[in-house]
């Protein structure tokens, strides 16, 4: 939606939040110019807007990443399990089976399951997690799984767990991101 905007160059620097902030700032500066009666302040506001747009245009010409020549395919797996059913006990096994089939059939280099794809805490189903890791390894796909987990304090976290390099003897020792 912002591909042609002069502010697109800011996206690799600060993401969507920075681009949104700059759009709001330039809009506010425009309103300020229309409302103020002070010529000097108006000129400053216009110059600041021009500066922001100029920097954005320059940033569009900067190469932030360089291809390595190696391409990877990614599968974002969606089981389409309705939220009204997902957490019902009667749907737990069918949900696991559905995601297991999807992971088993993935031919991508990287397979990603969504947030809380499996309606369990990671610590409660180490054998099932191990089966997911094993089928992913046999398919030669790196697998990240969205699942709930407890932290050391017993607090609940939503996590994305990387099951690449999974070891059955250390079922909870994987790289993960949690919030």
């Amino acid at each position: 939606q912002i591909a042609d905007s002069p502010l697109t160059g800011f996206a690799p620097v600060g993401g969507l939040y920075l681009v949104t902030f700059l759009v709001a700032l330039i809009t506010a500066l425009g309103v300020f110019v229309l409302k103020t009666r002070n010529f000097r302040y108006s000129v400053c506001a216009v110059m600041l807007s021009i500066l922001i747009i100029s920097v954005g245009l320059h940033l569009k010409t900067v190469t932030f990443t360089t291809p390595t020549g190696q391409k990877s395919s990614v599968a974002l797996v969606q089981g389409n399990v309705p939220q009204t059913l997902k957490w019902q006990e009667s749907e737990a096994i069918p949900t696991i089976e559905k995601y297991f089939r999807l992971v088993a059939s993935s031919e991508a280099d990287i397979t990603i399951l969504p947030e809380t794809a499996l309606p369990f805490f990671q610590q409660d189903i180490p054998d099932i997690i191990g089966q997911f890791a094993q089928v992913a390894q046999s398919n030669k796909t790196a697998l990240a799984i969205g699942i709930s987990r407890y932290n050391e304090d017993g607090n609940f976290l939503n996590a994305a767990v990387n099951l690449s390099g999974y070891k059955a003897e250390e079922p909870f020792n994987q790289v993960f991101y949690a919030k």
Side-chain angles (χ1 to χ4, degrees):
Q1 293 175 342
I2 61 168
D4 296 330
S5 168
L7 300 179
T8 304
F10 287 103
V13 176
L16 185 60
Y17 292 119
L18 178 59
V19 174
T20 302
F21 170 76
L22 293 174
V23 168
L25 177 61
I26 290 171
T27 302
L29 289 170
V31 170
F32 177 77
V33 167
L34 294 174
K35 295 281 186 180
T36 189
R37 299 197 187 276
N38 188 315
F39 180 74
R40 246 186 239 167
Y41 290 156
S42 293
V43 169
C44 288
V46 169
M47 295 303 289
L48 181 57
S49 296
I50 291 171
L51 176 66
I52 292 168
I53 291 168
S54 298
V55 170
L57 286 169
H58 171 70
L59 288 173
K60 285 177 76 168
T61 66
V62 175
T63 303
F64 288 95
T65 60
T66 306
T68 61
Q70 179 183 356
K71 293 183 179 180
S72 297
S73 58
V74 178
L76 301 174
V77 177
Q78 181 54 268
N80 293 325
V81 178
Q83 290 296 317
T84 56
L85 301 176
K86 182 181 208 169
W87 297 99
Q88 291 183 9
E89 192 173 331
S90 62
E91 293 298 314
I93 299 303
T95 298
I96 289 171
E97 290 171 344
K98 178 182 261 189
Y99 278 109
F100 190 82
R101 282 191 308 273
L102 291 168
V103 170
S105 65
S106 177
E107 297 177 5
D109 298 319
I110 303 167
T111 302
I112 302 171
L113 274 59
E115 181 178 32
T116 62
L118 304 181
F120 295 94
F121 285 92
Q122 179 186 1
Q123 291 90 335
D124 295 340
I125 56 169
D127 294 338
I128 293 170
I129 297 295
Q131 291 172 9
F132 271 88
Q134 189 174 31
V135 75
Q137 288 169 357
S138 68
N139 275 359
K140 296 183 172 75
T141 184
L143 177 61
I145 204 168
I147 193 163
S148 301
R149 63 181 284 145
Y150 304 112
N151 66 8
E152 299 79 28
D153 300 328
N155 294 320
F156 159 78
L157 302 168
N158 279 330
V161 180
N162 178 357
L163 294 181
S164 302
Y166 177 87
K167 295 180 184 129
E169 61 276 3
E170 298 177 14
F172 308 117
N173 192 24
Q174 298 92 35
V175 175
F176 68 94
Y177 168 79
K179 58 178 178 146

